[in-house]
Each structure stands twice: as C-alpha cells, then as structure tokens.
Amino acid sequence: MKIYKLPSGTLLEKDATYFLGPSLYWNELLGRENLKEYLNFESKGWRELKEEEAQKLLDVGLLSPMGDQEIWAAGVTYFRSRTARMEESQDAGGADFYDKVYAADRPELFFKATASRVSPPGGKLNIRKDSTWDVPEPELTLLISPAGRIQGFTVGNDMSSRSIEGENPLYLPQAKVYQGCAAIGPCILVQDEILAEDVKIRLEIFREGQLAFTGETALSQLKRKPQELAEWLFRANTFPIGCFLMTGTGIVPDEFTLEEGDRVRIGIDEIGVLENFISKI
C-alpha cells in the first residue's frame, strides 16, 4: 500500500483502490511498530474514491510524507559513488578515505536533515550560492520504526555540493546540510518486504524544458543492503518517532552542475516519481 500526505487529509492507495482519510499526526503514525496493520484497520472507515477523484487531490499538491522524523543518509554505498568521490577529492588528498570506507565493515552514515529543511514534492530544492558544482542524488529511502525495523520505502533526493565536499571531506556537513537540502516522496510504500534487487532508480534533469541529463541504476548495485544500514544506524542511537535513512546513490552526473530553474525527476519502480525545482540559497 501507498500513503500520501495531503494538505487537508491522508490518501491511501491499496490494491488499486483509493481511500481518503483525515489529517493524521505523523509523529505518532510513523512511530508505530505496526504501521501496515494500523493503516489497514483505520482505513476501513475512510471514504473510497474513484481514481479520477484521487488524481485530482494528488494534482493539487503533496506534503512531505513525514512528521518531525530525522533524515539520515549513507554514503559510498555504490561503486559509482566511490569512484566519483575519489575523483572529486583527489587534489585535496582525500581520495583514499572513500576507497577505504567502501571496503570497510562500518559504513559512512551522516545526519542529513530535520523536517524543516525538507522540501515537499513539487517544491523548491536549493543549491548553495557558495558552491560551484551541485548535483541531485537519487536514493532509495527507508522508513525505519523506533525498534529499527524497516516498515516502508520512499524516494529521496540527497542534494550535494560536490565542490565543497571535494575541497575537503571535513566540509561534508556544509555540502549536505542546509535549508532545502533534501526531499522525500511522493508517498511511502508501506511493506515489510525489501524491494527486489532488479528495481530501477532513474534520474532526469530538465533545463528550459529540455532533457539535460538522464541516468539509471538498479538496487543490485547497492553494496550495503538496507537492513545492514539500518542496523548500523541504530547502534548507540535511538529514534522515538522513527526515522528515514537514504541509502546512497548510484547515479552521479559528471561534468554537469545544477542551475537555478532546473527540474529534477527521480523515479523508483513500485514507489513513484519525486519531482522538484532548483532554487539558490
């Protein structure tokens, strides 16, 4: 099933049928250990909609499918990311760090965003004015319960300043964490089963209405599996209302930087498409 956060309610898509419910308290909702069972029970009293009615609600606009949950991220989980990070940090002498973390038992995990720094689907994502090389990072994003159990999946955009991180790996927080630095959506795919390895992640970037970049990868290229990343995140850490974890990117545009006004579309099979527009801060 898929759950969407509307400005004035909640939309549930289940078995090709749509149900409209009230606005929910998403801190409590995503902090449950039995999210799928809870939604199945609650939606029995929701109003069933025709597909056309549901689509009209979706076209009005969506909110980020979250409450006050933190968003964390994993880095260098794809070989493509390892190579790109080594290249961009070569002059700063930091290339070996990325090679070593790719091969290490312990993954790279870092804090990405509070809810106030997350842009909604269809909203504006930011690139920094003091950065010269900026890219979106399309990522499968996990919804994890307070007990560390993966309960769902969404599409994530882990915006990144390659010029700032490439100058010095210690600048990672500035390259990653700022206002409008992330987006998730358009919904949460609520299921206990991990997505199949042949699921594709696609990235499209449009500039002035024209396709400027396209790329694709598959979850089979993800070296560190979702449950492994979740277990590392929960070592010596607690998340009382649950959290989100971006699992890394396997699509890294080379010789390309985002510009103000660009449109970024990220699609993941079985979940949907997350679209945002680029602004500058």
Side-chain angles (χ1 to χ4, degrees):
M1 69 175 67
K2 296 179 182 179
I3 185 170
Y4 299 83
K5 188 176 184 179
L6 305 175
S8 58
T10 307
L11 186 67
L12 186 69
E13 179 183 352
K14 182 172 62 171
D15 300 326
T17 305
Y18 292 89
F19 301 89
L20 178 63
S23 297
L24 300 176
Y25 183 46
W26 283 65
N27 284 0
E28 179 182 336
L29 178 68
L30 302 188
R32 292 178 171 272
E33 293 296 336
N34 58 339
L35 179 59
K36 183 177 180 180
E37 292 80 2
Y38 176 79
L39 289 172
N40 272 323
F41 177 79
E42 285 294 311
S43 62
K44 291 178 181 179
W46 295 5
R47 182 164 67 92
E48 185 174 336
L49 299 180
K50 295 180 179 179
E51 184 176 355
E52 295 79 9
E53 294 177 291
Q55 191 58 55
K56 286 181 180 179
L57 290 174
L58 294 174
D59 290 343
V60 169
L62 293 168
L63 302 179
S64 301
M66 64 185 301
D68 295 316
Q69 286 78 19
E70 296 176 354
I71 296 180
W72 286 65
V76 201
T77 55
Y78 289 80
F79 187 81
R80 177 70 187 90
S81 179
R82 164 198 170 274
T83 303
R85 297 295 177 259
M86 290 179 67
E87 291 173 351
E88 74 188 23
S89 62
Q90 188 70 45
D91 292 343
D96 287 349
F97 294 137
Y98 298 99
D99 188 32
K100 289 177 179 177
V101 79
Y102 182 79
D105 290 334
R106 183 186 296 273
E108 178 193 13
L109 297 175
F110 57 91
F111 177 78
K112 175 62 184 179
T114 55
S116 65
R117 293 182 172 91
V118 180
S119 299
K124 291 183 178 181
L125 281 169
N126 288 325
I127 54 178
R128 293 182 57 133
K129 293 179 180 178
D130 57 354
S131 174
T132 59
W133 188 7
D134 303 274
V135 295
E137 295 192 2
E139 308 190 15
L140 174 68
T141 301
L142 315 176
L143 168 64
I144 310 176
S145 76
R149 187 166 68 90
I150 298 172
Q151 296 205 97
F153 306 87
T154 188
V155 181
N157 188 342
D158 172 18
M159 294 287 289
S160 182
S161 167
R162 294 187 67 180
S163 61
I164 292 177
E165 184 180 358
E167 184 178 345
N168 191 314
L170 295 180
Y171 295 159
L172 176 68
Q174 296 175 73
K176 292 285 192 178
V177 184
Y178 53 88
Q179 190 62 42
C181 65
I184 60 171
C187 63
I188 296 175
L189 172 65
V190 181
Q191 66 177 41
D192 299 323
E193 301 80 15
I194 299 297
L195 296 180
E197 291 195 345
D198 61 353
V199 164
K200 297 290 195 303
I201 302 176
R202 300 176 180 86
L203 169 65
E204 294 177 314
I205 304 173
F206 295 86
R207 181 166 295 162
E208 296 180 351
Q210 302 297 314
L211 184 63
F213 177 87
T214 183
E216 179 181 289
T217 191
L219 293 184
S220 59
Q221 301 303 306
L222 180 61
K223 179 187 178 184
R224 302 182 187 271
K225 302 311 176 187
Q227 190 57 51
E228 175 192 355
L229 292 171
E231 290 171 0
W232 275 100
L233 180 61
F234 273 70
R235 289 194 181 192
N237 222 333
T238 59
F239 301 92
I241 58 173
C243 66
F244 290 92
L245 175 59
M246 295 180 171
T247 58
T249 186
I251 306 173
V252 183
D254 282 327
E255 299 181 1
F256 180 93
T257 186
L258 289 168
E259 293 182 2
E260 195 165 14
D262 287 352
R263 178 164 59 98
V264 178
R265 287 173 54 88
I266 300 172
I268 300 183
D269 294 345
E270 301 185 28
I271 301 176
V273 176
L274 173 65
E275 180 175 277
N276 291 97
F277 296 85
I278 301 302
S279 188
K280 188 171 286 190
I281 190 170

